[in-house]
């Protein structure tokens, strides 16, 4: 077993860390306060190859693996989970096209991503989050294609997207086997995007509702076979969950650093907080969970890069990193005490940003269902 990163991986990690210090950290507080995504950060990240990292070189991308994506993601989300998530989640829209797209679809849409376009993965609906089979959006067969009606909610980067990978029922009675995937350009007649939704945390990462009102989708905009949408979505999640787990790893590392720095400086009862056993044990546990989350995440990414099935490892990494992140953020608040409740310190933002990690990209409950199924 080799735990050392290669020289190239260390260089990529350092590049992402330096970018975070220079471009993300100075903007994080203001972006959160205004609930805006700083476009200039995205443009700078594209120029450095820190966005869409897994796009193949033949399509204009960096051609990196999932482990390199995880290293980049961890570094970016250390600076701000909102900005980092918005930058990295583009990979989610790319994956189904990489898996099931035709040569023409890949050449057209993935090259646009490589050139700096943003896109959205549109699966979740008001009545269908964890229950993907409950999707109500309907794609009905018409001459030359489909007519798509329905709506999506909590769609990341929807107001910035140039196109969507959207899922809809082509067979309303087909349960999981009735779902199909489509590529929808943002300017399609009948496709509208609502205003960004107000959120507790990750405010710099815009999410919105998307509405389909009789949107015509040509046959050549379907991804893969009709009825293969559910299987495609599950393949995407195996590839994207290590990245989302890295969201949590980056946040835990930030909690660790902020808590340790505060515990060294803040004195109570005549000595630094760090020298009180109650605080020292919290920090020790935080380091334990950080390392466990990181190793699980790197393992899930490594297996994918080496052509090995990673469904179990991806779910373990995602659920552990998410649960550890909200735990670490809660402990950070406690270590900071009253100052943790103040918006002048980073603890409250880390706390707000962490919670949704247990909800999106498959809830912690769903991940445990997957783990249990894999054990059966």
């Amino acid at each position: 077993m080799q735990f050392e990163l290669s020289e190239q991986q260390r260089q990529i990690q350092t590049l992402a860390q330096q970018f975070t210090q220079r471009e993300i950290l100075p903007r994080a507080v203001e972006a959160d306060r205004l609930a805006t995504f700083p476009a200039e950060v995205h443009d700078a990240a594209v120029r450095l190859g820190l966005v869409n990292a897994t796009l193949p070189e033949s399509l204009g991308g960096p051609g990196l693996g999932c482990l390199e994506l995880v290293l980049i993601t961890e570094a970016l989300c250390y600076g701000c989970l909102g900005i980092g998530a918005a930058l990295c989640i583009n990979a989610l829209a790319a994956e189904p096209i990489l898996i099931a797209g035709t040569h023409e679809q890949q050449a057209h849409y993935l090259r646009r991503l490589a050139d700096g376009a943003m896109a959205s993965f549109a699966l979740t609906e008001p009545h269908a989050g964890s229950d993907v089979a409950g999707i109500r959006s309907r794609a009905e067969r018409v001459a030359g294609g489909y007519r798509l009606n329905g709506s999506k909610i909590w769609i990341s980067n929807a107001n910035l997207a140039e196109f969507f990978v959207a899922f809809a029922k082509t067979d309303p009675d087909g349960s999981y086997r009735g779902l199909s995937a489509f590529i929808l350009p943002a300017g399609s007649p009948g496709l509208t995007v609502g205003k960004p939704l107000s959120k507790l945390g990750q405010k710099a990462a815009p999410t919105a509702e998307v509405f389909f009102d009789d949107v015509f989708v040509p046959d050549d905009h379907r991804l893969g076979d009709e009825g293969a949408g559910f299987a495609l979505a599950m393949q995407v999640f195996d590839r994207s969950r290590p990245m989302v787990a890295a969201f949590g790893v980056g946040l835990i590392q930030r909690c660790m650093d902020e808590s340790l720095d505060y515990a060294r400086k803040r004195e109570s009862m005549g000595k630094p907080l760090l020298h009180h056993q109650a605080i020292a044990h919290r920090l020790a546990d935080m380091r334990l969970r950080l390392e466990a989350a990181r190793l699980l995440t790197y393992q899930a990414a490594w297996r994918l890069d080496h052509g090995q099935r990673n469904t179990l490892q991806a779910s373990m990494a995602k659920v552990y990193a998410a649960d550890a992140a909200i735990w670490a953020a809660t402990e950070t608040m406690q270590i900071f005490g009253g100052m943790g409740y103040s918006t002048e310190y980073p603890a409250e933002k880390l706390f707000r940003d962490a919670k949704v990690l247990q909800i999106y990209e498959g809830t912690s409950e769903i991940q445990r269902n997957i783990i249990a199924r894999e054990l059966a």
Side-chain angles (χ1 to χ4, degrees):
M1 299 175 69
Q2 176 57 261
F3 288 95
E4 289 294 324
L5 298 177
S6 69
E7 180 60 30
Q8 182 194 37
Q9 288 167 338
R10 285 195 295 270
Q11 290 175 357
I12 291 168
Q13 184 182 53
T14 299
L15 177 67
Q17 290 170 340
Q18 291 173 344
F19 179 85
T20 295
Q21 292 292 327
R22 184 177 66 252
E23 302 289 346
I24 296 180
L25 277 167
R27 294 176 170 89
V29 172
E30 186 75 355
D32 178 73
R33 186 179 68 82
L34 298 176
T36 56
F37 176 66
E40 67 275 14
V41 175
H42 171 261
D43 295 343
V46 170
R47 289 193 295 271
L48 288 176
L50 297 176
V51 179
N52 303 309
T54 59
L55 287 181
E57 292 181 284
S58 61
L59 294 171
L64 301 176
C66 187
L67 182 52
E68 288 77 23
L69 172 62
V70 159
L71 295 173
I72 292 168
T73 301
E74 180 184 339
L76 299 181
C77 291
Y78 176 95
C80 174
L81 195 48
I83 296 174
L87 289 171
C88 297
I89 211 70
N90 242 29
L92 195 56
E95 291 297 342
I97 303 175
L98 282 169
I99 295 168
T102 64
H103 175 76
E104 292 76 14
Q105 289 170 339
Q106 292 181 354
H108 181 69
Y109 291 102
L110 297 184
R111 282 193 177 276
R112 287 171 63 182
L113 291 180
D115 290 339
M118 299 188 78
S120 289
F121 182 84
L123 182 68
T124 300
E125 296 187 0
H127 300 282
S130 297
D131 181 15
V132 176
I135 281 178
R136 298 181 183 179
S137 291
R138 181 81 167 92
E140 295 186 82
R141 265 283 182 190
V142 296
Y146 301 82
R147 286 287 177 185
L148 181 56
N149 289 279
S151 66
K152 302 291 180 178
I153 196 168
W154 300 115
I155 305 306
S156 298
N157 295 341
N159 61 316
L160 307 173
E162 293 188 19
F163 65 88
F164 298 82
V165 174
F167 293 77
K169 285 285 185 69
T170 44
D171 178 1
D173 301 319
S175 186
Y176 296 102
R177 289 181 291 275
L179 199 63
S180 300
F182 304 90
I183 303 174
L184 305 179
S188 300
L191 189 159
T192 57
V193 177
K195 293 180 180 179
L197 297 164
S198 180
K199 300 181 297 182
L200 172 70
Q202 296 191 28
K203 293 185 176 185
T207 56
E209 292 181 277
V210 182
F211 304 93
F212 309 124
D213 183 11
D214 221 25
V215 178
F216 177 68
V217 188
D219 277 322
D220 62 3
H221 282 51
R222 191 186 69 231
L223 267 176
D225 295 333
E226 190 172 292
F230 178 79
L232 176 59
M234 296 306 105
Q235 285 180 273
V236 169
F237 289 145
D238 284 349
R239 296 166 70 146
S240 66
R241 279 175 179 149
M243 175 187 71
V244 178
F247 290 1
V249 176
L251 185 132
I252 300 166
Q253 182 68 69
R254 180 70 181 278
C255 287
M256 181 85 247
D257 291 351
E258 295 288 352
S259 297
L260 188 57
D261 182 64
Y262 189 77
R264 284 171 173 157
K265 295 176 180 177
R266 176 76 161 87
E267 290 193 0
S268 175
M269 301 176 188
K271 57 184 178 181
L273 293 181
L274 183 59
H275 296 162
H276 292 276
Q277 191 177 67
I279 301 298
H281 282 186
R282 281 187 162 95
L283 291 166
D285 284 341
M286 199 177 296
R287 181 60 186 269
L288 282 167
R289 298 189 194 205
L290 169 63
E291 294 301 327
R294 180 175 281 136
L295 287 170
L296 282 168
T297 301
Y298 287 12
Q299 180 194 38
W302 183 91
R303 288 182 66 89
L304 185 66
D305 287 340
H306 286 78
Q308 298 180 25
R309 188 169 181 268
N310 77 332
T311 300
L312 173 63
Q313 290 76 18
S315 285
M316 289 195 301
K318 199 276 179 182
V319 69
Y320 189 86
D323 288 354
I326 189 63
W327 177 89
T330 303
E331 292 301 296
T332 299
M333 288 278 287
Q334 197 68 18
I335 290 169
F336 273 72
M339 295 304 180
Y341 209 65
S342 168
T343 57
E344 295 183 17
Y345 288 81
E348 61 86 27
K349 180 181 182 297
L350 294 170
F351 182 80
R352 289 186 289 104
D353 285 350
K355 178 56 195 174
V356 76
L357 291 173
Q358 294 178 306
I359 299 172
Y360 63 22
E361 200 76 4
T363 64
S364 291
E365 291 78 10
I366 287 294
Q367 302 313 313
R368 288 181 168 85
N369 285 348
I370 294 169
I371 294 166
R373 184 192 68 206
E374 291 292 311
L375 294 176

